[in-house]
Amino acid sequence: MIPAAFDYVRASSAAEAIQLIGQYGDEAKFLAGGHSLVPAMKLRLAQPTVLVDIGRVSDLSYIRDGGDHIAIGALTRHMDVEKSPVLAEHVPLLAHAAGHVGDPQVRHRGTIGGSLAHADPASDLPATTLALGATYVAEGPNGTREIAAADFYQGYFTSALAPDEMLTEIRVPKMGGAGWSFQKFNRRAQDWAIVGVAAWQRGSECGVGLVNMASTPVLASSVATAVAGGASAADAAEAAAADADPQGDLNASVEYRVHLAKVLTRRALEAAAS
Amino acid sequence: MEITVTINGKSHTADVEPRTLLVQFIREQVGLTGTNIGCDTSSCGACSVHVDGEAAKSCTLLAVQADGCSITTIEGMAAADGTLHPMQQAFMENHGLQCGYCTPGMVMAATSLLAENPNPTEEEVRIGLEGNLCRCTGYHNIVQSVLACAKS
Amino acid sequence: MTMTDNTTGVLGQRLLRREDPALLTGEARYTSDLPIPGALHLAVLRSPYARARIVSVDTSAAAAMPGVTAVFSGADLAEAWAGPMPCAWPVTEDMKSPTHYPLAVGQANYVGDGVACVLATSATAARDAIDAIDVEYEPLEAVIDLEDALSDRVVIHDEIGTNRSYTWDLKIEESEGQVDQAFADAAYSVKERYIQQRLIPAAMEPRAVAAIPQPFGGDMTLYSATQVPHILKVMTALTLGIPEHQLRVVAPAVGGGFGSKLNVYAEELLCVALAKRTGSPVRWTETRSEGNQATIHGRGQIQDIELAADSDGRLTAVRVRLIGDMGAYLQLVTPGVPLLGAFLYAGVYELPKAYDFSCTSVFTNMTPTDAYRGAGRPEATYAIERAMDSLAAEIGIDPLELRRRNFIPTASYPYEAMTGLVYDSGDHDRAATLAADMIDYAGVRARQQTQNVPGATKRLGIGVSTYFEMCGLAPSRVLASLNYGAGGWEAATVRVLPTNKIQVVTGTAPHGQGHETAWSMIVAEKMGVSPDDVDVLHSDTAIAPLGLDTYGSRSLSVGGVAIAIACDKVIDKAKQIAAHQLEANPDDLEFSGGEFRVAGSPDRAMPLAAVAFEAFTAHNLPDGLEPNLEAHTTYDPPNFSWPFGTHMCLVEVDTETGQVDVLKYVAVDDCGNQVNPLIVDGQVHGGVVQGLAQALYEEAVYDSDGNLQTSTLAEYLVPAASDVPAIETGHTVTPSPTNQLGVKGIGEAGTIASTPAVINAVVDALSGLGVRDVPMPASPNTVWRAINEAQGGQQ
């Protein structure tokens, strides 16, 4: 319940945050909403020596229409993503998925950037942004760079961000009226998904992201290929686990996860198409 | 580190260790013990308070993160003359509590829920309280309490 | 049975709870809320191994840390204990019980077993120092599986030489030979194995303790989040060698218990011992992940049950074999839990004296088990109610019809059961009929015909369960026959103050049940005053020195009745005073509405208020009568109380995912006369959801090395509002004939009835797919696997 001691510094801008994290090195961590990090620290599973609090970098909380995409500041809270009229119009799948993260208290404090940078394969938003073909913007000591969501997730809780890089913006292509569905399957509403499927479909084009089906969020490319080839939702869903590598845990065996991915993908595609 | 937090309308300035959780600050340094601690994984919601008007789990925020914020705890819900907040009154009238340990967090979560959705369905109330655990009531009368408060 | 003559109509009202304002405003003080200046904080280092020899404990680095006052290993404190941790229920003469100290000495026996502890000036300093204690362990093979434990392949405790704690048989002379004969003659029989998974009680308030030594004279006050302040006082005095009269135990506001706070815990003894040693107050508050390991678990049984029936489906014999999981040590009543179920394996059914019950309990390298809401009775009810569904399937009749054929007829009450216990009252057909109407049983059966067709992926199931709860653990003589270490009585004092306000002192120890409200209603009804004029004092042994506390649904049927009897005694005394004042014969006085009147002379009356003041001034009392209006009673009930009922559950199972949705839940409970129906319904709601949680969500999972996989509330799935249904309650009222209030218990009924109702519904939904059973918890993965196995498919 009591975290190990650490030093705390507060950044007022992204540039200052990057400077600070560079200064303190490997044992330092960014603190955004803290809703992934603080619980781990309370159990002393995480013991950073320095926290760089970026929660007050207010110019990173925004949702803007960027023409062909919506740009979301990394410190935008889940609740603001969920309730955004702009996202409801242009990227309803993301707004809906954000409404399934944790519980209302978590959504009031947790941020989209924090959730994505944490790179938890069981989180809802990494797979959702992956399915949507999002691009992340990272800022480091040498300026900014764009990272495709598909290139971002490199392993269990491991992202392409360098230690001194900070996620600043998420750019999500507009869905252009595509059908969509978010299928989150869990035992309690507040929990992480046992398996989740985020899908959109426009004609023979679709994107499917899988939650908790590997050590990273999974883009189910094989499903998209099957749909593009004219397969029915049921047939395409058979390929749902082709790109996955799930583990067994308390709530699901490997076989069950694979099965669930297929069932939920079929349901998602059927819902997206209707 | 020195922080200033407004709690139930009163400003508190104090020196805290960075690792001090907001709930520890509220309970141990400010001395308001109505906010309870029921778990260490942000699962139970017993520690829910309002931060700038919205429910948050005070066990998952560092006190330093709340610097400059306005906090409402369960002690700040009733009127100065002791008149219960309508949500507290609804919990009483609908037997929405038994041991009372989850209750402060439930009341804070439920008022935040109604602020965002003033006329929820039963299903919306249940989903809206997904982050708060109770072991006594089976939730039936908690849900009834929130619905009754929304109606009143 | 009579309610009393002086009815003011308070009993049976849905009076709002007087406890609520303090709880709703944060004013109530739980143990961890108490301000205790100068307190030292205790933290406990717990074994990360399920079984390990403790080679060495180096406390030097921890002791040198800032704020640390002292660090102790188990060996360092070995002399502090006058005796080992208590087990108050030696169920057999030859029961084996390993020595159990608050901190392990020599060998740790479960993950969470205390190994060393720190005292520091802050909780933070204590927690930090825990990480600096250097323990060298020699890990040993752990025993997790119950049948493996029974084999003694690996013996956990060298000192007792076996993992078997005891074998206890329910001996019924008349059953000799009858059971085997009945099975030989049976037209139908079933044999089933059910697994009662381990559960974590998870009361929302974690345990908390504070021990405060008085500066002079050696007195000690122990605050604890406990259900049993009185029992804790006796046991702490014995274990620590403290004179009992110098120990005061207080249970402040307590945030739920469900049996988990019906115990004497290491941390309670450590706080008192260390407060005594240091002369400073010592406090400790459990973290949740610590509690999941170090607070008792519930359930943990393997049940083999066999039913024999005649050609009409009427039960002719029941045979039960249990293996009970004690965990690493025996806690306060650990070994007795299976015995509490032993009497209920025939449920509410007529059974000849052909019953054979045997339980063998074993040690494992897991957290000790003990009483958890229902304690033995949910397990028994689950087994008989699941087995009745199996028998119905075997015979090919509706499960509700099979139950009706077997119900003990209402006219047979009081009914002497096969065990020799006498069930005081019952009307099972009426409860079942009400439940069936509420859920539209016939309509559901019709819907199933159209919905559960081949290929259907959303299948409807309805489950029935009926129950008797044997509650109000009493009478003392019966408990003696079970070797229980205490009696079953309860104490009460009723005191009319000079201004006609009334104080009630009760030995019950509420922790959410609303005793202050309910007991004030009993007194108001008896004494003809407003409930607002009654104060209820409890849970502090300095104020309420006698009592046996709150567990086993005993508080109303024993403690509440004791209060009513004490009221009668006060009224008797008051009557003598009033008669003296009115110059009448006491036998001619009537008492109602708070006033004594001379029968036939309505103008000759004296209110209780005036009597109370006369008793106080003592200016003009009858010769020989002592001043003041006060009476004390210790009530030992003549029988258990026997609430009963029928629950029904409607589910829809998604056969593709294994997801179970509870569509409707109906609870019909008969707890006799209801003091406060608002509180009764609340008890039912909470109990039902706790039982439903066993059916669908919860399990304390250990890996094969004995690591608890569900050590936090993120993994141990206590359901939230979003995960459970609304509960529809109905009641029948069959007053208990054995007490003057006609009341029975209701605290555990919901938990007892709901678990089998839910699982019966799930199995019913899937019966068309060949599923005969689904293990608990019926998680989606588990349900999906059961369907696949029944279909001969993959895992």
Side-chain angles (χ1 to χ4, degrees):
Chain A
M1 188 66 199
I2 301 172
F6 55 86
D7 289 326
Y8 172 86
V9 289
R10 203 177 269 167
S12 55
S13 69
E16 188 187 4
I18 290 155
Q19 185 263 322
L20 286 168
I21 205 99
Q23 180 184 330
Y24 289 108
D26 287 353
E27 297 305 309
K29 277 199 174 287
F30 286 124
L31 176 71
H35 275 53
S36 299
L37 185 57
V38 173
M41 291 171 63
K42 286 195 295 179
L43 297 175
R44 301 202 176 193
L45 300 173
Q47 301 197 13
T49 56
V50 180
L51 285 188
V52 177
D53 186 353
I54 56 174
R56 285 158 202 269
V57 182
S58 59
D59 58 358
L60 287 184
S61 175
Y62 57 81
I63 297 170
R64 293 183 195 133
D65 192 328
D68 62 344
H69 69 272
I70 303 298
I72 305 168
L75 291 174
T76 308
R77 303 177 312 156
H78 299 306
M79 190 63 86
D80 295 324
V81 173
E82 178 188 355
K83 299 279 169 70
S84 161
V86 174
L87 286 171
E89 183 181 351
H90 297 294
V91 197
L93 171 57
L94 181 60
H96 182 83
H100 282 80
V101 175
D103 55 51
Q105 291 96 315
V106 169
R107 298 195 288 275
H108 285 143
R109 303 299 307 182
T111 64
I112 183 169
S115 174
L116 298 179
H118 192 54
D120 182 348
S123 281
D124 300 313
L125 301 186
T128 303
T129 50
L130 194 55
L132 287 164
T135 300
Y136 305 158
V137 179
E139 193 171 328
N142 304 317
T144 64
R145 64 172 177 138
E146 295 184 6
I147 309 169
D151 298 328
F152 186 79
Y153 299 100
Q154 303 201 328
Y156 198 55
F157 294 106
T158 307
S159 77
L161 289 173
D164 57 356
E165 270 187 318
M166 177 179 154
L167 190 57
T168 54
E169 185 175 281
I170 297 91
R171 295 177 185 160
V172 193
K174 290 183 178 176
M175 291 173 64
W180 58 274
S181 175
F182 184 71
Q183 302 277 331
K184 181 173 184 174
F185 191 87
N186 52 18
R187 292 178 65 188
R188 293 186 305 188
Q190 68 165 239
D191 291 329
W192 285 272
I194 294 173
V195 176
V197 177
W200 59 269
Q201 186 171 0
R202 192 189 305 105
S204 62
E205 195 188 357
C206 77
V208 177
L210 304 178
V211 181
N212 213 3
M213 283 297 290
S215 58
T216 63
V218 173
L219 184 66
S221 309
S222 303
V223 174
T225 304
V227 170
S232 68
D235 288 345
E238 282 302 307
D243 305 290
D245 181 20
Q247 302 292 303
D249 62 22
L250 284 178
N251 292 314
S253 65
V254 171
E255 295 77 12
Y256 179 62
R257 275 216 158 79
V258 167
H259 169 78
L260 266 186
K262 293 177 182 176
V263 171
L264 299 176
T265 297
R266 190 199 79 225
R267 290 179 181 180
L269 290 176
E270 286 170 352
S274 67
Chain B
M1 172 170 181
E2 188 177 277
I3 62 169
T4 299
V5 181
T6 301
I7 302 182
N8 303 330
K10 192 174 162 199
S11 177
H12 296 267
T13 298
D15 194 42
V16 298
E17 251 199 291
R19 59 169 154 173
T20 306
L21 302 171
L22 178 59
V23 68
Q24 291 166 333
F25 176 72
I26 292 170
R27 288 177 53 84
E28 294 162 22
Q29 284 184 255
V30 182
L32 295 173
T33 55
T35 303
N36 293 324
I37 300 171
C39 76
D40 41 16
T41 47
S42 313
S43 305
C44 81
C47 65
S48 297
V49 298
H50 292 177
V51 178
D52 295 333
E54 294 171 326
K57 293 183 175 178
S58 63
C59 76
T60 315
L61 281 171
L62 302 172
V64 290
Q65 287 179 285
D67 188 11
C69 291
S70 178
I71 310 280
T72 306
T73 70
I74 192 69
E75 289 92 342
M77 294 298 278
D81 69 354
T83 305
L84 295 181
H85 182 281
M87 186 63 78
Q88 292 170 318
Q89 187 66 29
F91 268 68
M92 174 141 180
E93 289 174 2
N94 291 278
H95 190 26
L97 66 154
Q98 289 181 27
C99 83
Y101 198 78
C102 77
T103 308
M106 280 289 177
V107 168
M108 302 314 285
T111 46
S112 182
L113 166 68
L114 290 194
E116 289 166 22
N117 181 3
N119 287 300
T121 63
E122 181 185 332
E123 182 65 19
E124 287 168 340
V125 171
R126 286 183 179 275
I127 288 287
L129 296 176
E130 65 184 318
N132 292 72
L133 300 179
C134 167
R135 199 55 154 166
C136 295
T137 64
Y139 304 102
H140 185 97
N141 285 343
I142 289 175
V143 174
Q144 294 307 311
S145 301
V146 179
L147 290 171
C149 184
K151 214 178 275 178
S152 70
Chain C
M1 106 81 222
T2 54
M3 291 292 293
T4 70
D5 294 328
N6 48 335
T7 292
T8 57
V10 177
L11 289 186
Q13 300 292 319
R14 301 176 80 87
L15 206 66
L16 300 185
R17 298 199 325 166
R18 60 172 57 192
E19 290 87 347
D20 290 358
L23 297 168
L24 277 162
T25 54
E27 293 300 314
R29 297 270 179 160
Y30 299 90
T31 299
S32 62
D33 297 340
L34 300 171
I36 305 173
L40 296 174
H41 294 256
L42 174 76
V44 179
L45 174 67
R46 300 182 183 281
S47 172
Y49 296 102
R51 184 161 169 260
R53 199 166 67 81
I54 300 165
V55 179
S56 64
V57 181
D58 181 352
T59 58
S60 55
M65 288 179 68
V68 173
T69 307
V71 186
F72 303 98
S73 67
D76 294 338
L77 292 178
E79 304 304 315
W81 320 119
M85 300 259 296
C87 172
W89 203 336
V91 295
T92 61
E93 296 296 320
D94 61 351
M95 182 184 83
K96 304 281 198 301
S97 180
T99 310
H100 181 198
Y101 288 114
L103 291 179
V105 179
Q107 183 172 312
N109 290 302
Y110 66 97
V111 173
D113 205 354
V115 171
C117 70
V118 174
L119 281 184
T121 52
S122 73
T124 301
R127 172 64 188 84
D128 286 347
I130 285 291
D131 288 346
I133 300 173
D134 187 11
V135 182
E136 186 187 337
Y137 296 98
E138 179 192 335
L140 303 170
E141 187 176 357
V143 181
I144 303 305
D145 179 80
L146 300 194
E147 290 178 308
D148 186 33
L150 202 52
S151 77
D152 278 340
R153 183 184 61 80
V154 173
V155 173
I156 295 169
H157 301 283
D158 287 341
E159 63 172 305
I160 56 176
T162 174
N163 295 327
R164 185 182 302 235
S165 178
Y166 66 86
T167 294
W168 186 87
D169 303 322
L170 184 59
K171 302 271 189 226
I172 300 167
E173 248 173 59
E174 302 93 317
S175 278
E176 206 64 45
Q178 295 298 311
V179 176
D180 288 345
Q181 191 60 47
F183 276 97
D185 295 344
Y188 300 100
S189 66
V190 291
K191 179 174 185 177
E192 304 291 345
R193 166 164 284 204
Y194 302 117
I195 309 293
Q196 295 285 333
Q197 79 269 37
R198 271 180 172 251
L199 299 175
I200 297 178
M204 288 316 300
E205 183 205 15
R207 290 191 291 122
V209 183
I212 305 177
Q214 299 307 308
F216 308 105
D219 284 6
M220 178 78 71
T221 301
L222 169 60
Y223 291 88
S224 184
T226 182
Q227 299 172 228
V228 289
H230 298 93
I231 293 172
L232 180 60
K233 177 166 71 83
V234 174
M235 292 301 176
T236 301
L238 290 173
T239 308
L240 293 175
I242 293 177
E244 191 188 341
H245 64 287
Q246 291 193 289
L247 185 62
R248 171 186 173 198
V249 177
V250 184
V254 177
F258 315 107
S260 72
K261 295 171 182 170
L262 188 196
N263 227 304
V264 176
Y265 280 105
E267 296 82 4
E268 292 166 325
L269 300 173
L270 281 169
C271 282
V272 174
L274 296 176
K276 197 173 152 195
R277 181 179 286 225
T278 62
S280 295
V282 174
R283 72 187 308 167
W284 171 81
T285 299
E286 180 183 71
T287 65
R288 177 63 61 183
S289 49
E290 186 177 32
N292 277 15
Q293 295 180 343
T295 292
I296 61 98
H297 291 180
R299 313 289 191 261
Q301 292 182 0
I302 296 174
Q303 305 171 294
D304 290 309
I305 181 169
E306 294 173 77
L307 307 183
D310 66 18
S311 56
D312 294 329
R314 294 178 55 84
L315 294 177
T316 54
V318 175
R319 183 187 285 133
V320 177
R321 294 288 178 272
L322 294 189
I323 306 176
D325 178 0
M326 303 287 95
Y329 306 102
L330 301 182
Q331 283 277 357
L332 190 65
V333 298
T334 304
V337 172
L339 276 60
L340 291 174
F343 300 88
L344 293 176
Y345 277 87
V348 298
Y349 310 119
E350 235 180 343
L351 183 72
K353 289 198 185 282
Y355 179 58
D356 176 6
F357 174 96
S358 178
C359 171
T360 296
S361 288
V362 297
F363 294 104
T364 58
N365 288 114
M366 296 184 280
T367 297
T369 60
D370 207 310
Y372 171 57
R373 201 169 190 173
R377 294 154 291 167
E379 295 94 313
T381 303
Y382 184 84
I384 179 64
E385 290 303 298
R386 287 286 301 118
M388 286 298 276
D389 267 30
S390 283
L391 182 61
E394 180 76 18
I395 299 170
I397 64 171
D398 185 272
L400 180 57
E401 169 59 22
L402 179 69
R403 285 171 172 80
R404 288 190 196 277
R405 287 184 195 178
N406 280 281
F407 283 153
I408 298 165
T410 304
S412 303
Y413 286 98
Y415 175 85
E416 187 185 329
M418 77 291 181
T419 56
L421 294 182
V422 176
Y423 302 159
D424 63 3
S425 57
D427 195 346
H428 309 292
D429 208 70
R430 190 161 145 240
T433 298
L434 178 57
D437 288 348
M438 287 171 67
I439 207 163
D440 184 21
Y441 190 85
V444 170
R445 289 293 183 210
R447 277 168 64 197
Q448 285 183 308
Q449 296 298 315
T450 55
Q451 185 169 337
N452 294 359
V453 294
T457 56
K458 297 282 178 67
R459 303 181 79 93
L460 206 57
I462 188 164
V464 177
S465 99
T466 65
Y467 74 93
F468 249 137
E469 182 190 346
M470 179 179 106
C471 66
L473 289 192
S476 299
R477 283 179 184 180
V478 175
L479 295 174
S481 72
L482 296 173
N483 261 9
Y484 183 59
W489 49 263
E490 194 48 84
T493 300
V494 171
R495 183 181 298 139
V496 186
L497 304 176
T499 55
N500 202 31
K501 305 298 181 191
I502 300 180
Q503 277 183 333
V504 182
V505 182
T506 177
T508 67
H511 39 283
Q513 293 89 344
H515 290 179
E516 292 179 19
T517 301
W519 294 182
S520 77
M521 293 170 74
I522 292 171
V523 174
E525 179 88 15
K526 296 288 294 189
M527 307 298 291
V529 298
S530 161
D532 294 340
D533 291 332
V534 182
D535 191 24
V536 179
L537 305 173
H538 58 83
S539 304
D540 178 344
T541 61
I543 293 171
L546 292 174
L548 286 173
D549 307 314
T550 287
Y551 54 88
S553 304
R554 68 187 301 275
S555 295
L556 174 60
S557 63
V558 189
V561 172
I563 290 168
I565 292 169
C567 286
D568 288 337
K569 288 189 174 182
V570 170
I571 292 166
D572 280 349
K573 180 172 180 181
K575 193 177 275 185
Q576 293 182 57
I577 298 169
H580 180 70
Q581 296 276 329
L582 295 169
E583 296 177 344
N585 186 328
D587 294 338
D588 293 339
L589 288 195
E590 293 168 344
F591 181 63
S592 71
E595 194 169 59
F596 291 93
R597 287 184 205 84
V598 179
S601 309
D603 54 325
R604 292 174 67 200
M606 187 173 181
L608 180 64
V611 179
F613 200 73
E614 284 296 337
F616 167 65
T617 62
H619 292 171
N620 185 16
L621 299 181
D623 289 343
L625 198 71
E626 291 180 6
N628 287 317
L629 270 186
E630 172 178 307
H632 175 80
T633 276
T634 301
Y635 169 64
D636 200 345
N639 194 352
F640 294 89
S641 91
W642 301 93
F644 63 90
T646 300
H647 288 208
M648 294 193 187
C649 178
L650 180 64
V651 301
E652 190 172 73
V653 182
D654 180 336
T655 58
E656 287 189 302
T657 62
Q659 174 72 34
V660 175
D661 279 333
V662 179
L663 304 180
K664 197 172 170 77
Y665 194 97
V666 166
V668 173
D669 298 284
D670 191 323
C671 56
N673 291 328
Q674 299 184 14
V675 171
N676 185 331
L678 190 73
I679 291 175
V680 170
D681 280 347
Q683 289 292 317
V684 171
H685 295 152
V688 165
V689 166
Q690 235 167 338
L692 179 146
Q694 177 178 11
L696 298 180
Y697 291 103
E698 296 179 15
E699 179 175 18
V701 180
Y702 283 85
D703 69 13
S704 57
D705 292 328
N707 298 301
L708 179 61
Q709 306 289 288
T710 53
S711 61
T712 76
L713 286 184
E715 295 104 10
Y716 188 80
L717 302 183
V718 173
S722 41
D723 313 313
V724 299
I727 311 296
E728 295 176 36
T729 51
H731 297 281
T732 59
V733 178
T734 309
S736 170
T738 65
N739 66 67
Q740 63 160 283
L741 297 174
V743 296
K744 309 173 182 180
I746 193 64
E748 296 157 300
T751 315
I752 289 169
S754 64
T755 313
V758 173
I759 296 295
N760 279 344
V762 173
V763 174
D764 182 58
L766 302 176
S767 60
L769 302 176
V771 173
R772 290 190 70 252
D773 191 27
V774 177
M776 296 189 290
S779 71
N781 197 162
T782 300
V783 171
W784 178 75
R785 186 183 295 126
I787 295 168
N788 275 346
E789 284 173 357
Q791 300 277 294
Q794 72 209 42
Q795 274 290 293

